[in-house]
Amino acid sequence: FMSAPPSALPSARRPTGLAKVRQVIMKVKGNVLSSTDSSVGQMRLSVLVACVSALQMKSVGRFRLAEDILLAIAIMTALCMHDRPTSMHQLLRSNKPAFGLVVNRRQLCCALDRVLAGEQGTEKLELYKASMCRITQTIAVSYRWQPEGVTVAPGLALNMSMWQLRCLRDVLLASSCPYVWIDKLAVPQAPSSAVEKDAQHKLLSRMNAVYTLATATVALRSQETEGNRYHQRGWTVQEYITPQNLVLLTQLCSAAGGSEVTPESDEAVPSSTSGKGDRACCAVTPNEEEYFGQLRLWYQERVGAHKPYWLYPGLQGSEEELVDVQGLVVELERRGAAQGAGG
C-alpha cells in the first residue's frame, strides 16, 4: 500500500488542491470574506492566495483536470466579488465605527451628474464601512457647509452649492479611487441616542486620521460672506493642513459679481471680490492664503519627525518647539475671536 502511486491512494487521505483551497479560505473567512471591514480588494486577494497555495499541492492523474477547473472557477469567483454594503444602523450596532462610512465613487459620480442636470436623485447609493483598508483607497472631501441640503439619493443629502457639487463630480470622474468620504454621510448627524452620541464623538475625534490616511483630500473653497469663508471655520484647519495629497479648488468671482471660475491646482489662488462690498463674497483673502499656506508647510515638515511618547519615555519637545506651537494656538484663537466678532 505504501508503495502505491499517488493516484491509487484513497482520496480521503490525499490533500487535493480543492481541499487546500477550502482550508485556506476557511482560515480567512472570519477575518476577510465574511467581514464588512474587508474591501473587495482584500476579498479577491484572499481567494487568489488560496488558489496559489492550492497550486503548490497539485495532484496527478484523473483528478488533475477537475482540480484545474475548480481552481479556474475559484479565480473567476474572486474577480466577480463585490463589496459588502452596510448602513449607519448596522455600523452603530457593531459598536466598531472605524472611520464611519464611505460611499461608492462611481455611484456618487452618477448621482451628481443627475443632480447637476436638474434631475431627481432616485438611485440608491451603496455605503461601506470605512475600515483601515478602505480609508487608504478613499478620496476625502473638505468643504464649507451650505445652509440647505441637496438630495443626491433617497435619504441622502449634501449641504453643498452647485459649484461644490460640480467640482466634486469633476474630481471623482478623474479619480480611480473606489470610495469617497464625506462627513455628512460618514458621521451620525443630530444624534439622539447614547449609542449615536458615542459613535459621533469617536468619529469626530478620528477625522484627523481620515484626512491623513486618505489617498487624496479635495478642498473646495467656495465663495462665502464674511465670517463664513473656508479658512474661517475651525473644522477646516485640520482638513487643510494634514493631507499629504491636497487637491485645492478655489471659486473665483468676476468683478461684476457673476461668473464662476474653477482653478484646479495645488497652488494658492487669491479670490477677488464680487462687487457687493469689500470682501462681501469671496473664497479666500490674501492674508488667509499666506497664513494657512505657511501653517500647512510647517505641519507637513514637522509631522515626519513625530515620535510616539509611549515608545520614547524620556522624550520632550524643545523650548523653541513649544514656543512655536503656543504661538500657533494663540494666533488661531485670535482668528476665531475675530470671526466671532464679525471681523
Side-chain angles (χ1 to χ4, degrees):
F1 176 79
M2 295 303 296
S3 61
S7 58
L9 295 176
S11 59
R13 296 187 180 184
R14 185 172 52 83
T16 65
L18 178 60
K20 185 65 177 179
V21 171
R22 185 183 298 110
Q23 291 173 7
V24 177
I25 288 180
M26 290 304 294
K27 288 181 180 180
V28 301
K29 184 177 180 182
N31 296 326
V32 179
L33 298 181
S34 300
S35 173
T36 57
D37 289 16
S38 306
S39 68
V40 65
Q42 275 184 302
M43 292 189 288
R44 288 174 179 173
L45 181 61
S46 65
V47 175
L48 292 177
V49 167
C51 294
V52 171
S53 299
L55 290 174
Q56 307 301 319
M57 299 191 66
K58 294 282 294 181
S59 59
V60 296
R62 57 182 177 178
F63 296 101
R64 183 165 184 172
L65 177 60
E67 290 178 2
D68 285 341
I69 294 174
L70 290 173
L71 285 172
I73 293 174
I75 293 174
M76 292 300 295
T77 301
L79 296 177
C80 295
M81 281 182 171
H82 298 284
D83 264 328
R84 295 176 181 270
T86 188
S87 64
M88 183 60 71
H89 177 69
Q90 292 173 323
L91 184 71
L92 296 177
R93 285 185 58 188
S94 69
N95 200 30
K96 296 179 180 179
F99 299 105
L101 297 174
V102 289
V103 63
N104 184 291
R105 177 189 61 83
R106 291 184 179 180
Q107 292 180 359
L108 178 59
C109 197
C110 292
L112 295 179
D113 269 333
R114 287 190 291 270
V115 171
L116 293 171
E119 303 174 7
Q120 292 288 333
T122 57
E123 298 293 329
K124 185 177 180 181
L125 301 182
E126 290 185 348
L127 300 172
Y128 313 103
K129 183 176 181 179
S131 61
M132 178 63 75
C133 180
R134 287 196 181 98
I135 204 66
T136 57
Q137 306 173 59
T138 293
I139 293 178
V141 184
S142 175
Y143 63 104
R144 174 69 178 91
W145 274 43
Q146 303 302 315
E148 301 295 331
V150 177
T151 301
V152 296
L156 296 178
L158 296 177
N159 290 70
M160 291 186 176
S161 65
M162 288 297 112
W163 178 85
Q164 290 171 322
L165 293 174
R166 184 160 57 250
C167 287
L168 179 57
R169 187 272 315 270
D170 293 342
V171 171
L172 298 186
L173 278 174
S175 174
S176 60
C177 288
Y179 312 109
V180 183
W181 191 97
I182 304 177
D183 53 2
K184 181 66 180 292
L185 307 181
V187 180
Q189 306 298 317
S192 56
S193 66
V195 174
E196 291 178 341
K197 292 179 181 179
D198 180 63
Q200 185 190 61
H201 177 75
K202 288 180 179 177
L203 293 174
L204 292 179
S205 68
R206 297 171 183 174
M207 285 181 63
N208 186 294
V210 169
Y211 290 97
T212 301
L213 295 171
T215 302
T217 293
V218 182
L220 305 175
R221 301 195 299 190
S222 54
Q223 299 175 21
E224 305 293 342
T225 56
E226 179 63 38
N228 293 304
R229 290 191 299 272
Y230 178 88
H231 287 302
Q232 291 181 311
R233 314 304 297 179
W235 287 109
T236 59
V237 175
Q238 65 176 351
E239 299 170 7
Y240 183 80
I241 69 173
T242 59
Q244 297 184 23
N245 185 13
L246 180 67
V247 180
L248 184 60
L249 304 181
T250 305
Q251 183 180 18
L252 300 184
C253 310
S254 67
S259 62
E260 297 178 346
V261 181
T262 310
E264 300 190 10
S265 171
D266 249 347
E267 298 298 325
V269 181
S271 299
S272 60
T273 59
S274 63
K276 299 179 181 179
D278 186 27
R279 296 180 183 175
C281 181
C282 66
V284 58
T285 66
N287 177 269
E288 291 169 347
E289 194 75 83
E290 180 182 4
Y291 176 76
F292 286 99
Q294 293 176 352
L295 182 62
R296 173 172 164 76
L297 288 175
W298 174 85
Y299 178 85
Q300 292 295 327
E301 291 174 356
R302 187 170 179 269
V303 71
H306 280 184
K307 295 181 180 179
Y309 287 111
W310 56 90
L311 295 180
Y312 299 84
L315 187 64
Q316 291 184 351
S318 65
E319 187 71 23
E320 182 181 356
E321 188 178 30
L322 293 176
V323 170
D324 286 345
V325 173
Q326 185 178 14
L328 289 171
V329 172
V330 171
E331 174 61 18
L332 289 173
E333 289 179 344
R334 185 192 68 78
R335 289 175 176 270
Q339 173 192 339

